[in-house]
Amino acid sequence: MENLEQTCASLRAQIAATEAQLAGLKRELEIAEQTAADVKAQDTARTSADDKRSDNGTRKWPLLDEEYKRYGRQMIVPQLGLQGQLNLRSARVLIVGAGGLGCPAALYLAGAGVGTLGLVDGDTVENSNLHRQVLHRSKNVGKFKVDSAIEYLRELNPHPTYVPYRAHLTPQEAPDIFKDYDLILDCTDNPATRYLISDTAVLLGKPLVSASALRTEGQLMVLNYPPRPVGDKHGGPCYRCVFPKPPPANSVVSCADGGILGPVVGTMGVLQALEAIKVITSPTVNSSASPPSLLIFSAYSTPPFRTIRLRARRANCAVCSAEASVTLETLKSGSTDYVFFCGVAGLEATLLPEERISPLELRKKHPKEVPHGDRLSKEPTIIDVREKVQFDICNLENSINIPISTILSSASSSTNADANAQPSLPSWLPPDVASADSTDPIYVVCRLGNDSQVAVRKLKELGLDRGGQRYVGDIQGGLRAWREQIDPDWPEY
């Protein structure tokens, strides 16, 4: 029997390897076919252009017949016109991030006829992206996001030139990538990369359209516009001017942790495309007529939009002022460390090994419904510290929901009490958990095993461990580990 199982395992491994190899070959074939199609399309466009030249060898009309039909509805808008369309066709725009912001931004810029569109992203498409990252499709899960996006964009509009950068942006490579573009769109989701993009754009004299989105809210800014040289106070502010100091690393919430509504991030991405078109089609800008501003969007507020006027460049800005300390040399040399500048998010409290238990160990220690004499053994106390909206999606049977936000707010208020006084137990603790006579163990669980560690520390500060007489620990790896070790059908969200 054991040999048969090994044979089955070996065959499964061979099948998986063969399928992976086949997927790689299909991807290479797809890229080769797309390249051949692009070359053919370019040759056809050149032939069509040659056929429509006048007798003196020059084209009678600046756009192709198909372009007049394609862009006609926007060219008749007074703010755009023919010259605006020609500006779009000659423009080179770089989008950093092919996710929730970058997809709608790229979609509308490609549709508008931007001549060259570069996309930077080192991630691959995941199922969790598809509800908001509208350029990607289910069949492209596992493919590089830039390749998935360009595949869709080429179907939408074959005229632009699409340039993929299949890697995350680094300080050493950013200047060489940015220098070939006229305008930059920051469609990323972390502070370190935002500072890097802004610094590079300022040092190379590129306008920057920056946006962010989380849960039901978003922000939008047009930075370094007008793009004046470093030290010129008449130039637009940069990201460091608006946010001289990054937020505390532990306060930064990602979409994976905080959640995001697709239309919210879509709205911000579309607004980025709109601002980009305005910059491209109105190259001469009067800074006094267009003061820099921060647009704030809140989907559940009335009205949903409000604007805050931004100050001009800071006199002591590390990048765009006369006292600048960040230069292209410091970028390329790596001496400007953005990860260090923004800090590294770490656990507020790291538990000892004996304060942690894996899902498998928990199940062995507390088997489900095992007879104990004439009755079933008592279920262990499991406190789930996810917020209620996550607890309602899925939860362990008989677990108690006490959100981490509730625990932390209670713990912070108790610290203001007399240091010599015994900490009073908060009202949100169930009576059987707070009972002074109980020594039943308490296991704390969260989504990934981070908040649960913080919660264990706070619960011990409240004295629930009875000075070590009662076990209070966390389930290591959280509910993700529970899915991997105990229940493969557990919802992965």
Side-chain angles (χ1 to χ4, degrees):
M1 184 66 182
E2 183 177 351
N3 290 335
L4 284 174
E5 290 179 351
Q6 291 177 352
T7 301
C8 291
S10 177
L11 290 171
R12 291 192 195 98
Q14 292 180 48
I15 291 172
T18 304
E19 288 177 343
Q21 184 179 11
L22 179 60
L25 291 172
K26 286 182 177 179
R27 188 173 296 121
E28 292 178 11
L29 175 61
E30 185 178 349
I31 294 173
E33 289 176 339
Q34 188 60 63
T35 303
D38 291 343
V39 172
K40 183 177 180 180
Q42 291 171 4
D43 291 341
T44 303
R46 291 193 196 99
T47 302
S48 176
D50 291 341
D51 291 342
K52 295 186 179 296
R53 293 185 186 277
S54 60
D55 294 338
N56 60 6
T58 61
R59 276 188 47 78
K60 185 177 181 180
W61 307 111
L63 297 175
L64 301 174
D65 285 349
E66 200 275 337
E67 289 179 299
Y68 280 103
K69 294 177 183 178
R70 180 182 289 267
Y71 308 127
R73 296 296 189 275
Q74 67 187 34
M75 281 196 294
I76 62 177
V77 175
Q79 289 87 344
L80 195 76
L82 174 61
Q83 186 56 51
Q85 190 62 52
L86 293 174
N87 290 345
L88 285 170
R89 190 171 71 164
S90 62
R92 299 176 60 87
V93 177
L94 181 70
I95 298 177
V96 185
L101 293 168
C103 283
L107 189 65
Y108 277 96
L109 289 176
V114 168
T116 300
L117 205 56
L119 287 92
V120 182
D121 201 312
D123 288 337
T124 56
V125 180
E126 299 177 0
N127 278 317
S128 61
N129 303 145
L130 300 178
H131 82 104
R132 67 193 184 281
Q133 299 181 15
V134 293
L135 289 181
H136 310 310
R137 288 164 287 181
S138 297
K139 71 173 187 177
N140 285 343
V141 169
K143 179 182 288 189
F144 275 111
K145 285 186 177 181
V146 291
D147 293 332
S148 173
I150 290 174
E151 175 185 311
Y152 190 109
L153 295 173
R154 282 196 177 110
E155 294 178 4
L156 172 70
N157 190 351
H159 292 288
T161 298
Y162 302 103
V163 184
Y165 299 91
R166 303 176 186 89
H168 296 294
L169 194 68
T170 65
Q172 292 77 15
E173 296 175 347
D176 290 333
I177 296 175
F178 281 32
K179 65 181 176 59
D180 295 326
Y181 293 89
D182 309 311
L183 175 66
I184 313 299
L185 268 65
D186 180 357
C187 300
T188 61
D189 61 356
N190 69 86
T193 307
R194 290 192 186 117
Y195 281 103
L196 167 60
I197 293 171
S198 175
D199 292 353
T200 308
V202 169
L203 295 173
L204 293 176
K206 313 289 183 180
L208 171 65
V209 183
S210 177
S212 61
L214 182 67
R215 297 191 179 102
T216 63
E217 299 178 346
Q219 296 182 352
L220 174 76
M221 297 179 289
V222 180
L223 301 170
N224 195 41
Y225 189 62
R228 299 286 187 260
V230 170
D232 187 337
K233 63 181 181 180
H234 298 295
C238 69
Y239 194 81
R240 286 184 187 261
C241 293
V242 183
F243 303 108
K245 295 182 179 180
N250 287 318
S251 71
V252 177
V253 180
S254 67
C255 292
D257 294 328
I260 182 69
L261 282 184
V264 172
V265 70
T267 296
M268 304 316 298
V270 170
L271 288 173
Q272 281 185 282
L274 175 60
E275 292 300 326
I277 291 173
K278 288 164 61 178
V279 170
I280 293 168
T281 58
S282 304
T284 55
V285 63
N286 185 333
S287 59
S288 62
S290 304
S293 61
L294 170 66
L295 177 68
I296 299 176
F297 172 69
S298 181
Y300 286 83
S301 297
T302 304
F305 291 98
R306 61 191 179 98
T307 303
I308 299 175
R309 184 168 178 173
L310 298 177
R311 295 179 179 179
R313 287 182 170 181
R314 286 181 176 268
N316 61 345
C317 178
V319 180
C320 64
S321 72
E323 304 175 8
S325 58
V326 178
T327 65
L328 289 175
E329 288 70 27
T330 64
L331 281 183
K332 292 183 177 181
S333 67
S335 59
T336 302
D337 190 333
Y338 290 92
V339 175
F340 177 79
F341 173 68
C342 293
V344 178
L347 291 177
E348 187 175 316
T350 302
L351 302 182
L352 298 173
E354 55 267 27
E355 296 175 294
R356 314 197 72 187
I357 188 171
S358 71
L360 276 177
E361 293 170 335
L362 178 66
R363 175 53 60 87
K364 290 178 181 178
K365 194 171 185 178
H366 300 278
K368 191 175 181 180
E369 297 185 352
V370 173
H372 186 74
D374 295 331
R375 59 185 177 84
L376 297 178
S377 61
K378 183 178 179 182
E379 290 285 337
T381 299
I382 299 178
I383 298 178
D384 188 327
V385 296
R386 294 174 298 159
E387 297 301 318
K388 184 179 184 301
V389 66
Q390 295 191 47
F391 183 81
D392 289 343
I393 294 174
C394 54
N395 55 76
L396 296 175
E397 187 178 356
N398 298 321
S399 61
I400 303 167
N401 183 217
I402 306 176
I404 185 66
S405 56
T406 301
I407 295 175
L408 293 178
S409 61
S410 173
S412 61
S413 62
S414 67
T415 57
N416 297 325
D418 185 357
N420 296 322
Q422 184 72 16
S424 58
L425 294 179
S427 59
W428 44 259
L429 274 174
D432 56 338
V433 175
S435 172
D437 299 328
S438 176
T439 57
D440 293 336
I442 298 175
Y443 302 99
V444 184
V445 70
C446 65
R447 186 180 178 192
L448 301 176
N450 296 331
D451 287 344
S452 57
Q453 296 188 65
V454 179
V456 167
R457 279 280 178 259
K458 298 303 180 182
L459 293 177
K460 287 190 172 184
E461 289 175 7
L462 293 172
L464 289 183
D465 64 336
R466 316 284 184 242
Q469 298 180 16
R470 185 184 196 182
Y471 180 85
V472 179
D474 92 308
I475 299 178
Q476 191 169 6
L479 294 171
R480 177 177 291 179
W482 186 272
R483 171 186 169 87
E484 295 170 353
Q485 300 178 23
I486 304 297
D487 184 4
D489 294 328
W490 184 267
E492 184 177 8
Y493 65 93

